[in-house]
Structures are given as C-alpha cells and as structure tokens.
Amino acid sequence: MPVICNLESGQKGICGVRKNEDGRIVSENYGCVTALALDPIEKKPLNMFHPGSRILSVGSFGCNLKCPFCQNYQISMMRLEGDKDGLQPRTPDMMHISPQELARKALKYQKSGNIGVAFTYNEPLVGWEYVHDTAKLVKAYGMKNVLVTNGTASMEVLEEILPFIDAMNIDLKGFEEEYYHKLGGSLQAVKEFIIRAAAKCHVELTTLIVPGENDSDSEIRAEAEWIAREVGQHIPLHITRFFPRYHMQDKSATDVQLVYRLANLAGKYLDHVFVGNC
C-alpha cells in the first residue's frame, strides 16, 4: 500500500505539500503553478492518445517519492520558503492560477490545437484536490484531462479523480519491490493503481532505465509479462533513457543500445513499445 502519513498538528508530509492544520489535512500547493506550457501530447509521453495534438501542461511543486535520479527535481523537490527540509525556496515566478482560470486558459488555446489540460512536471496527486476541481471544469468545457503520475496514491484518491481523467501516463519505476522501497514507494501499490486506472481510461506506462538499478533483462521481462497478463498486451510502454540529474549526476547516461535492446525484449510481450530520450 502507499505510504500514508499520520501527521501531528502543524506537521508536514514528506511530499512537502500536505500539512495538518488544526486536525485537517490541507494541500499547500493548491493553485500554485511553477510551470505552464502548451506541449505536444507526445511529450507526456502519450503516443496513442490524440497523436499530433497539443495540450496545456501545468505543474506545481512537491512529490511523494524521493527518486535520486529525478529529472524534474527543480520543481518536484521545491519547498515553500521557511521549510527546514526545503531544497530550494519558492521562486518569485510561481503564480497562482485558480481552477476556473486554468480551465478558461485551456479553452482559449483550443485555436492553437489544445485539447485540454495535462497535470504533470511534479507529482500532481500530492495536490489531488486541485486536479479534481480543475479537471471537472475542463471536462465541462468538452476538453480532455491527462494525468502524468507515479501512481503512488490511495485507491480513494484515484476514485475521486477517475471520472474526470481521459488519459494517464504512469511511471513504473522498476519491477522489484526492493527498488521501490529505496524510492520511498511500493511496487504493489503502483500495480493496483495501474490496473484500476487502465480499466477506466487510456493508460500508457513509462520506465526510465537507470544504469545499475533497473536495467536487467530479467526485470524488464518480468515487467512486460505482468503488463500483458494483468493489464493487457495493448498497453503502450515507453522505455526511456536516463540522463545524469539531481543526486545521480556522477552516473553516466544509459547506453542507447541497452535501451533499444530492453525495448525489443519488452516488445516480445507487448504490442506497443516506444523508446524515448535516445
């Protein structure tokens, strides 16, 4: 199961976002936007959901995992000013955008090829209330909602947002429980999240291949076999190349040939395997 924080009054969770205020758990990043861009849908990555379209992508700050290789650590690990564990304080260019404002922006950019809103860049579900409130409005405008997530969330949260989400890209970090424990998560919880999400919306999966961590043939084979058996061989899988980031800047980028070899291996079990960052 996902790690569930039992917070004392005034205490903040490891995500740096959720806090106990007078016995009530609140999200401190509600409406706080650190990144906003009109991206190609393939950048999420989603290769089989409205290909060729664009989507208004929004990010905040905070994450409930501690991946030492985080590719977006500048915002995912951001903390508000005054947080003792903060890696960096809130930047002056953080802006507040209400759900109503964001939904209207999405509608405005329809003429530029926009199909909706993608909640991405950091882990959106640490502030799931904002995702829920915005996605509901975007849906009312007849537009699409996309969630890019690590899948580390309770089933209760997933059920709250699923009625409004059209597609997800879910990070499947690896396929060993011990590896997930190192990152602060649970492989079993992510498996359950994937199965439930795929039953309700379009799902694509991404595995970042980190040298010496999750790059064995046996692990990719086990992952691909599980996806085909428990979720469906039609589920797209993105095998992507790691580049040195965050606390792994001393590690070399993943060998391109290795990425292609693992993708070919996964392709023996799945119909759609894509290579990224090569």
Side-chain angles (χ1 to χ4, degrees):
M1 294 298 294
V3 176
I4 298 175
C5 297
N6 294 311
L7 303 177
E8 301 292 336
S9 181
Q11 186 181 11
K12 191 174 293 186
I14 60 171
C15 62
V17 169
R18 306 194 72 79
K19 183 179 181 181
N20 184 330
E21 287 190 356
D22 301 322
R24 189 169 63 95
I25 303 300
V26 299
S27 173
E28 290 194 321
N29 71 348
Y30 190 98
C32 296
V33 173
T34 61
L36 189 68
L38 192 58
D39 286 334
I41 194 74
E42 289 82 4
K43 190 178 177 182
K44 298 307 95 191
L46 288 171
N47 283 15
M48 300 186 69
F49 182 78
H50 294 270
S53 63
R54 305 175 80 189
I55 194 159
L56 185 62
S57 301
V58 60
S60 186
F61 66 95
C63 187
N64 52 5
L65 293 183
K66 292 289 180 278
C67 303
F69 47 79
C70 182
Q71 305 290 287
N72 277 340
Y73 71 92
Q74 294 94 335
I75 59 173
S76 67
M77 299 302 169
M78 181 184 291
R79 299 294 184 264
L80 292 174
E81 293 177 23
D83 282 6
K84 293 180 180 179
D85 65 343
L87 299 174
Q88 50 187 334
R90 177 169 49 187
T91 54
D93 59 352
M94 183 185 291
M95 52 190 165
H96 186 276
I97 302 179
S98 71
Q100 294 80 7
E101 290 175 296
L102 186 55
R104 287 195 294 266
K105 283 181 182 291
L107 190 64
K108 175 184 175 182
Y109 286 118
Q110 265 190 320
K111 59 187 178 183
S112 299
N114 181 43
I115 64 169
V117 171
F119 303 91
T120 181
Y121 302 136
N122 71 309
E123 174 48 53
L125 294 184
V126 297
W128 69 269
E129 296 92 342
Y130 184 71
V131 174
H132 173 275
D133 295 349
T134 305
K136 187 175 181 179
L137 296 172
V138 171
K139 199 77 168 174
Y141 281 137
M143 304 185 77
K144 306 296 184 183
N145 289 298
V146 165
L147 184 72
V148 182
T149 176
N150 60 33
T152 301
S154 69
M155 287 296 105
E156 290 81 5
V157 166
L158 180 57
E159 294 298 339
E160 288 285 345
I161 65 168
L162 264 179
F164 311 106
I165 302 298
D166 298 283
M168 293 190 197
N169 184 286
I170 305 171
D171 278 331
L172 185 52
K173 303 289 184 179
F175 213 68
E176 293 183 358
E177 196 66 62
E178 182 180 355
Y179 184 57
Y180 259 93
H181 287 167
K182 287 167 59 176
L183 308 180
S186 162
L187 173 59
Q188 184 58 36
V190 176
K191 285 180 177 180
E192 293 172 6
F193 187 100
I194 290 170
I195 291 171
R196 178 58 182 154
K200 286 292 186 177
C201 69
H202 177 86
V203 165
E204 301 190 22
L205 305 175
T206 296
T207 298
L208 179 73
I209 303 300
V210 183
E213 299 289 342
N214 64 344
D215 59 351
S216 69
D217 287 9
S218 60
E219 187 168 346
I220 289 298
R221 182 182 296 107
E223 177 180 316
E225 286 180 332
W226 175 82
I227 296 168
R229 182 179 68 252
E230 301 294 337
V231 194
Q233 66 183 47
H234 65 285
I235 296 293
L237 174 64
H238 300 258
I239 302 291
T240 60
R241 187 185 185 204
F242 159 89
F243 286 98
R245 293 287 189 277
Y246 196 31
H247 294 315
M248 283 192 170
Q249 297 192 34
D250 58 338
K251 191 178 282 287
S252 299
T254 315
D255 181 75
V256 172
Q257 295 306 313
L258 173 62
V259 175
Y260 276 99
R261 180 165 62 78
L262 294 177
N264 288 334
L265 177 58
K268 294 180 179 179
Y269 305 92
L270 302 171
D271 295 338
H272 309 289
V273 180
F274 301 100
V275 167
N277 296 341
C278 290

